[in-house]
Amino acid sequence: MSASRARQGAVATLAVSAVAGLVLSGLPQSSATAPSPNDSDRLSTKGPDHSQRERKGNFDARVLDAKSALAATSEALAENSKAMQALRGSLGVEAIVDMDPLTRTPRNVGRLDGFLTAASSRPAQAIALGYVRANSAAFGLTSADLSTLRLRQDYVDVIGTHHMSWEQVKDGVPVFGNGLKVHVSARGQVISVQGSPVSGLTKQSVSASPKTVPAQARASAVRDVNGSLQSATASKSSGSATSWSNGDSARLVWFTTPRGLRLGWHTLTDAGATLAYSHVLDAETGQVLYRRDLVQFDQGEARVFDYYPGAARGGKQHVVDLVKRGWIKPKATWLRGATVSAWADLNDNDRVEPRERTPVPGNRTRAQFTFTPFDSNPRCSRAFKCSWNPRVPFSWRANKKQDVSNAFYLASKYHDYLARRPIGFTARAGNFERSGRDPVLLHALDGASTARGLPDGNHIDNAYMATYPDGTPPTMAMFLW
């Protein structure tokens, strides 16, 4: 076998960004083209019986298309350019000023090189609101806007940082998703401001009287995801909120859209099986304004080694989410990823056959795949674990899925390592990526079944990589040892 030559990015701010995504789950995070509420992405997932189930994807009517987002952002900057420039100037070259194109208010304001304010001994809430008031012009907020804020949460983490969130209220009805979030350190320094609060909320003339009732909204939400309305009684009800004995609920909210403020019903529903969703439905028309799938399957979580099994360092399996790492798409049915396609090329014919594909690891309850050690020769030990028995045909099947997913993990991880400084082996430098039509074709267990369930003499104790001109996928073959 031959080998071929290879071708030729502030801790506090990042930590707060992670927390921020959990506080207001309805906050629009992208200005990409919004899907239709009826034709949004359908995610194919696997239930407990591994049968395929089509699920309605997420939808948010607040998300603007790219052209509208750009125009709205330009208008917002023009409206308060002086105040915004002053704010940017005060924050320095490492400033983060991200304005929501729909609300034209801060989606994220912070600094990569420090805090927004100096230390203070004042109460955290006073510090937070004091900073927002001092910069209200840049934030596009008026005193009337600030009067709509109601403290929803003041969470203090283990290092003393206050994570505060305020919801906006108009006519006794809260605004869904949009609001104000401010994070203040234990020393009284403002870390960041977020939330996309609605500007001019009190000036919007919209009736707070719905034309539909909670039960209608609940039924519509279930119907939207092709679910089944669960038998339940209304255990608690008021004019603006109702809950049911099975945990379903509906409450009135304001929902801001590109066409203005709408009154809606925010529902949480169990639609049977694994269909649990959050919706906002227009309280007049019943139109879906927001949909979020509350079920997260563990697809993408693999149990992997960083070194050989049993090694003192990197020899214990740990869980890695291949999807969150960006190495594979949630819809993938086997390990065909952004930079690597991995399969068990058992007969060494260089083709992907159905039996050779490894499904994306992870199911509803746990990560996959575990490792089964073999006591196949005297050298196998807790420090050097063997993965098959060379004297037993097909013994490699016990760890086949783990082997392929581990190879996929290591190759994908190495791609990311090579792309970083100081090496910089990027797409522009000619690396291996599917977007460039040349992902690594990784043949794990290459030739493992070329001799009646065992590898023949040409497929033992070796490995190779064949590398071709840029644009042609290279082949990496890993034999059994």
Side-chain angles (χ1 to χ4, degrees), residues 143-303:
S143 57
D145 295 326
L146 298 180
S147 71
T148 67
L149 298 173
R150 302 289 183 272
L151 184 68
R152 191 182 72 87
Q153 183 183 57
D154 184 355
Y155 161 66
V156 183
D157 65 22
V158 293
I159 62 172
T161 300
H162 284 255
H163 304 282
M164 294 162 286
S165 63
W166 287 264
E167 65 180 4
Q168 291 181 275
V169 179
K170 170 181 164 61
D171 298 332
V173 177
V175 175
F176 176 82
N178 302 88
L180 182 68
K181 295 181 288 184
V182 186
H183 310 274
V184 177
S185 74
R187 296 184 61 221
Q189 302 145 302
V190 176
I191 300 170
S192 65
V193 179
Q194 296 147 344
S196 302
V198 178
S199 178
L201 180 63
T202 59
K203 295 180 180 179
Q204 299 198 41
S205 179
V206 184
S207 173
S209 299
K211 293 187 177 180
T212 55
V213 297
Q216 288 176 298
R218 175 179 179 244
S220 295
V222 170
R223 188 165 53 249
D224 176 62
V225 296
N226 302 314
S228 301
L229 193 64
Q230 304 300 295
S231 177
T233 56
S235 56
K236 184 179 180 182
S237 183
S238 68
S240 61
T242 299
S243 59
W244 284 266
S245 56
N246 71 329
D248 288 2
S249 64
R251 69 163 184 161
L252 281 178
V253 294
W254 294 112
F255 191 91
T256 184
T257 76
R259 298 181 302 278
L261 201 66
R262 301 295 300 176
L263 185 66
W265 289 107
H266 175 211
T267 65
L268 296 173
T269 55
D270 173 3
T274 62
L275 298 175
Y277 278 82
S278 170
H279 280 80
V280 176
L281 300 111
D282 192 299
E284 180 179 354
T285 66
Q287 177 186 358
V288 175
L289 301 174
Y290 176 88
R291 180 199 307 116
R292 183 177 179 86
D293 190 345
L294 301 178
V295 176
Q296 293 186 349
F297 293 93
D298 288 334
Q299 186 178 24
E301 291 193 342
R303 296 185 182 275

Side-chain angles (χ1 to χ4, degrees), residues 318-357:
H318 62 97
V319 175
V320 170
D321 194 316
L322 307 179
V323 173
K324 289 183 178 178
R325 291 285 184 98
W327 294 335
I328 199 163
K329 293 182 177 180
K331 297 180 184 179
T333 57
W334 62 285
L335 292 175
R336 181 179 182 272
T339 63
V340 179
S341 288
W343 71 95
D345 193 17
L346 304 175
N347 56 10
D348 190 24
N349 68 352
D350 298 337
R351 295 196 300 270
V352 187
E353 299 178 357
R355 68 177 182 134
E356 298 176 335
R357 295 181 178 181

